[in-house]
Amino acid sequence: LVRQHATILMSSTTKTSAANSSHYILNNFQSQQRRNQTTIMDKGARRTSQQSGRNPGKTLQTGRSSLESSTSDTGLNVPPFNHPHCDRQAMYQQPVRKVKPVRGNYDYDLVVIGGGSGGLSCAKEAVAHGARVACLDFVKPTPLGTKWGVGGTCVNVGCIPKKLMHQAALLGEAVHEAAAYGWNVDDKIKPDWSKLVTAVQNHIKSVNWVTRVDLRDKKVEYINGLGSFVDSHTISAKLKGGERTITAQTFVIAVGGRPRYPNIPGAVEYGITSDDLFSLDHEPGKTLVVGAGYIGLECAGFLKGLGYEPTVMVRSIVLRGFDQQMANLVAAAMEERGIPFLRKTVPLSVEKQSDGRLLVKYENTETGEVDSDVFDTVLWAIGRKGLVDDLNLDNAGVLTHKDKIQVDCEETTNVPHIYAVGDIIYGKPELTPVAVLAGRLLARRLYADSELRMDYVDVATTVFTPLEYACVGLSEEDAIKLYGAEEIEVFHGYYKPTEFFIPQKSVRYCYVKAVAQRNGEQRVYGLHYLGPVAGEVIQGFAAALKSGLTIPTLMNTVGIHPTTAEEFTRLSITKRSGLDPTPASCCS
Ligand code: FAD
């Protein structure tokens, strides 16, 4: 052991030496193997330390939300997210509050406001455990007049239509690749926007229908009305032909969010958002996508794949909240495919020309230079706003924070019988599976004696750009912020997917990296993958990471060959070593 520590020390002080770096990796690997043999009896204790999280007192997040600040600014007695009690360690130590809802003289035990991912899962689970539940859902049309049915953002204007259009774009690419693989295909194939939109919308309508049937079968009362609080136990539902007052013991707010419009001339009149794009009744044509978050990049990606001409306008950075090395690779891979990025640029105005096209004036924020271009479509993807305005939360005494609702680690607002889940809660990943699980676990805690709380840490996610990016755990910069650069080791490598060779697809940006603890057991803090089928690749690793994955375990895992997922098991080069992370061959 002393010899190993000496080797580790030696290799960490002679940082640029490649030989020492591999020596370091090997020694840690051997030391881990030895540890594995000698600590079997100690397993229970180790597991507790793994479950307990990495750094009590700090809340870690990646993906579509950023590291949080350390204090609650509501000034209320609401434990903020990063209250130590909300950390993993505390989650396994603190008893869950036992606020078993008592059946009072109310219309329902539970009213869920919002029939999207979080609201529906909560409502259905609550009914399954004996509660009398109503679920309100109401969609206000977009300025263009687009509206949709029950199911929320994911089903109607989010994950599902987005993934279908992404798939349509990938298929176009695959047809061209097929020719290289010996298929006799017509190389003049082109997509039909109207057929695609019809197919996507038909699928959505079928999901809307199945959702309504499911709610009816499960005895959740679905109310197609806009809910707003009258007092903390009463809401008023604005229906198509009137109004209905409903009382409940408990409320769950799951109203999600909608896209923002910039405050510039012509933005609302002439621009559209993702809420309109998936049902647009004409081809988008040359499109300006304003915003380089995941929604903007995904839309630009599939529009390019479908043969249109997207341009991405970026105010500051690409994919804020994500690992920035990976974010820049994603953008570079898009630029390589012919998607221009207007960087450090903000839009000033949108005007409709006499030919119906849109003249956009914009400014470079660094040089102050003003320029303009003409587009067929302007798509705002500049962020989303929580739908708190219609709720009249003041009447119930629920506090908001930046268009969102702050909750504690049991999704309770500052009013004890009013909860919130999904995109409407402040500072958590805005993702469907997060909303679904949080809603379900909340219902179980309320009505089924469960003690399980939602764990918002290490949530895996994927950006469905033409070359997909998926990650779980910490970004490199967040790991460094948390532990210091000296305590972090980054293993990385470029790779060449076998299936890319024959059609001669660019492998330039196919890249993986593991962000890990430098010493000790070499715990993996974050995994990042840029390449095909990224979500499918990273999902399993997310479970491994949550279970305490270490670099030695990763290196001792036998890959499945030839896959791209196996690249994680082949990682051996550290950034610190300075070695070239480009592979010489695919198979050794
Ligand atoms: P929602 O699903 O938005 O549901 C809220 C519902 O409440 C809506 O129907 C709303 O109209 C209704 N409502 C609002 N106010 C009221 C009121 N006062 N009364 C009654 N009803 C009301 N997530 C992923 O995990 N993977 C992805 O790939 C992905 N892609 C996305 C792509 C796009 C373009 C977008 C926009 C989002 C994407 N998301 C993705 C995010 C995902 O859609 C959301 O995280 C998820 O839908 C949040 O669920 P929710 O229940 O919080 O809210």
Side-chain angles (χ1 to χ4, degrees):
L1 263 178
V2 169
R3 229 184 10 252
Q4 276 167 14
H5 277 284
T7 318
I8 291 166
L9 265 175
M10 255 175 55
S11 59
S12 57
T13 45
T14 52
K15 289 168 201 155
T16 48
S17 152
N20 271 343
S21 182
S22 1
H23 193 196
Y24 163 66
I25 296 163
L26 193 67
N27 270 286
N28 267 295
F29 182 36
Q30 287 164 345
S31 119
Q32 177 65 28
Q33 280 190 322
R34 244 166 271 161
R35 265 203 306 272
N36 284 348
Q37 283 158 12
T38 52
T39 56
I40 292 168
M41 285 177 57
D42 195 26
K43 225 173 164 185
R46 268 158 60 84
R47 171 128 186 81
T48 311
S49 84
Q50 285 164 3
Q51 283 173 333
S52 71
R54 318 174 180 104
N55 194 347
K58 289 197 179 183
T59 299
L60 311 172
Q61 276 184 220
T62 52
R64 293 163 191 185
S65 187
S66 54
L67 281 173
E68 291 160 16
S69 65
S70 61
T71 52
S72 160
D73 36 16
T74 60
L76 266 198
N77 191 20
V78 185
F81 286 121
N82 46 3
H83 189 283
H85 289 189
C86 297
D87 269 322
R88 267 196 195 156
Q89 185 170 25
M91 285 196 358
Y92 289 93
Q93 285 168 359
Q94 297 282 319
V96 168
R97 262 178 325 131
K98 288 279 177 198
V99 278
K100 200 80 186 117
V102 214
R103 283 206 169 161
N105 193 18
Y106 299 106
D107 300 333
Y108 295 95
D109 299 324
L110 171 69
V111 164
V112 177
I113 311 174
S117 311
L120 289 175
S121 82
C122 185
K124 288 190 270 186
E125 191 69 21
V127 165
H129 297 294
R132 296 168 302 147
V133 182
C135 179
L136 271 77
D137 191 58
F138 189 86
V139 179
K140 282 188 166 177
T142 69
L144 197 72
T146 313
K147 50 186 185 188
W148 51 90
V150 68
T153 303
C154 175
V155 165
N156 294 286
V157 286
C159 335
I160 301 302
K162 177 277 298 292
K163 181 83 188 285
L164 295 174
M165 293 214 167
H166 173 63
Q167 176 65 10
L170 291 182
L171 282 172
E173 208 173 302
V175 171
H176 289 295
E177 287 167 32
Y181 276 100
W183 286 91
N184 292 316
V185 286
D186 178 358
D187 61 2
K188 287 187 208 70
I189 60 148
K190 65 183 189 70
D192 183 326
W193 175 261
S194 134
K195 267 193 193 165
L196 172 60
V197 166
T198 303
V200 168
Q201 291 304 317
N202 284 345
H203 173 69
I204 291 170
K205 283 190 184 86
S206 74
V207 179
N208 295 150
W209 189 77
V210 168
T211 306
R212 290 184 70 147
V213 171
D214 193 34
L215 288 175
R216 199 187 55 208
D217 290 351
K218 294 204 162 96
K219 311 258 181 301
V220 175
E221 187 178 349
Y222 164 61
I223 300 169
N224 184 202
L226 184 73
S228 65
F229 282 95
V230 176
D231 61 46
S232 79
H233 282 287
T234 313
I235 57 157
S236 137
K238 262 186 223 134
L239 312 169
K240 262 189 202 133
E243 202 155 331
R244 184 174 155 192
T245 302
I246 303 164
T247 60
Q249 168 71 41
T250 303
F251 289 88
V252 172
I253 302 170
V255 293
R258 292 288 284 268
R260 289 180 191 277
Y261 287 76
N263 188 15
I264 59 167
V268 179
E269 296 93 314
Y270 307 124
I272 63 164
T273 67
S274 54
D275 281 357
D276 303 297
L277 181 63
F278 306 112
S279 56
L280 203 63
D281 63 5
H282 57 272
E283 291 190 281
K286 183 177 166 188
T287 303
L288 177 64
V289 177
V290 183
Y294 83 93
I295 293 175
L297 295 194
E298 289 177 341
C299 292
F302 70 67
L303 288 176
K304 181 71 187 175
L306 293 171
Y308 303 110
E309 284 176 78
T311 295
V312 178
M313 184 178 280
V314 191
R315 186 186 56 181
S316 51
I317 59 169
V318 169
L319 291 179
R320 183 181 301 284
F322 287 86
D323 183 288
Q324 280 303 292
Q325 182 201 4
M326 301 304 294
N328 290 326
L329 289 173
V330 170
M334 291 178 74
E335 282 176 308
E336 190 190 45
R337 282 166 187 255
I339 303 173
F341 278 62
L342 289 171
R343 289 171 191 276
K344 307 275 176 215
T345 304
V346 291
L348 298 175
S349 63
V350 185
E351 286 165 44
K352 197 167 201 166
Q353 300 186 145
S354 53
D355 62 0
R357 301 190 79 203
L358 303 173
L359 174 72
V360 182
K361 292 197 180 118
Y362 46 85
E363 181 183 15
N364 183 304
T365 53
E366 270 180 350
T367 61
E369 208 174 303
V370 174
D371 212 336
S372 68
D373 201 350
V374 176
F375 298 90
D376 299 301
T377 302
V378 176
L379 178 80
W380 307 118
I382 58 169
R384 295 175 64 78
K385 179 187 180 312
L387 292 180
V388 288
D389 291 348
D390 291 314
L391 288 171
N392 279 327
L393 289 169
D394 284 352
N395 290 346
V398 175
L399 293 173
T400 58
H401 181 66
K402 296 183 181 166
D403 299 324
K404 298 273 178 123
I405 297 172
Q406 196 160 29
V407 294
D408 67 8
C409 50
E410 291 174 38
E411 283 85 27
T412 320
T413 69
N414 59 302
V415 178
H417 63 276
I418 302 181
Y419 300 80
V421 294
D423 283 9
I424 196 62
I425 65 175
Y426 175 74
K428 293 296 173 203
E430 293 179 16
L431 293 167
T432 284
V434 171
V436 169
L437 190 56
R440 187 179 303 140
L441 294 181
L442 171 60
R444 284 184 193 161
R445 286 198 307 276
L446 287 173
Y447 302 106
D449 262 342
S450 166
E451 303 234 325
L452 212 56
R453 296 171 174 133
M454 177 70 191
D455 181 1
Y456 291 95
V457 180
D458 293 336
V459 173
T461 187
T462 297
V463 180
F464 292 95
T465 36
L467 194 61
E468 298 171 2
Y469 165 46
C471 60
V472 59
L474 291 179
S475 66
E476 191 176 336
E477 46 272 59
D478 281 350
I480 289 172
K481 231 184 270 173
L482 224 49
Y483 299 109
E486 284 308 303
E487 297 303 317
I488 296 299
E489 198 74 85
V490 178
F491 295 81
H492 69 153
Y494 287 93
Y495 65 96
K496 298 175 180 171
T498 309
E499 57 275 29
F500 279 27
F501 282 108
I502 287 180
Q504 296 184 359
K505 283 177 74 169
S506 168
V507 295
R508 195 162 164 202
Y509 299 106
C510 294
Y511 177 78
V512 290
K513 78 172 174 182
V515 179
Q517 184 183 22
R518 189 172 176 199
N519 297 306
E521 62 175 350
Q522 291 189 287
R523 204 48 202 271
V524 176
Y525 294 145
L527 292 170
H528 302 267
Y529 169 98
L530 186 51
V533 290
E536 315 297 342
V537 168
I538 218 79
Q539 182 69 85
F541 283 109
L545 192 133
K546 268 181 106 83
S547 312
L549 181 66
T550 63
I551 288 291
T553 306
L554 199 55
M555 287 180 178
N556 202 18
T557 300
V558 179
I560 302 169
H561 189 68
T563 64
T564 52
E566 73 172 320
E567 296 302 331
F568 278 119
T569 68
R570 286 156 53 95
L571 283 171
S572 64
I573 292 171
T574 62
K575 276 195 176 175
R576 188 174 261 111
S577 74
L579 285 175
D580 182 4
T582 317
S585 94
C586 72
C587 307
S588 59

